[in-house]
Amino acid sequence: STTIHINNISKEVFTMKVFDLLGNLKINLENIQDSQIILKNHGLTSGLYIIELKSKLMSLKGRLIVK
């Protein structure tokens, strides 16, 4: 499993999307209010993915490496 930590002191509601490098949506999680997200067996094979976190106030993009 993979754990993603978010500095979510204000308990904002986030949406998290994970895309493969071809732009295909692999994971779409909504209504996240916790400070960590645990991805367990979401069918991601080894490789590089783009992760996008969005709330009403901010948007973050990054890379996720699955081994």
Side-chain angles (χ1 to χ4, degrees):
S1 68
T2 301
T3 302
I4 299 168
H5 295 277
I6 305 168
N7 188 7
N8 193 11
I9 297 169
S10 61
K11 296 295 183 190
E12 281 189 72
V13 178
F14 281 87
T15 298
M16 184 190 79
K17 294 182 180 183
V18 177
F19 300 91
D20 65 15
L21 293 180
L22 298 176
N24 299 310
L25 181 64
K26 295 296 186 177
I27 299 173
N28 184 26
L29 299 176
E30 298 180 349
N31 299 317
I32 301 166
Q33 292 182 335
D34 296 330
S35 294
Q36 69 178 13
I37 304 164
I38 299 174
L39 299 177
K40 289 186 179 180
N41 198 15
H42 278 275
L44 297 178
T45 57
S46 296
L48 182 62
Y49 296 87
I50 304 300
I51 185 169
E52 184 178 275
L53 290 168
K54 284 188 178 181
S55 73
K56 289 183 180 181
L57 299 177
M58 60 191 262
S59 178
L60 300 170
K61 283 188 177 180
R63 290 179 276 181
L64 174 67
I65 300 171
V66 177
K67 294 182 179 183

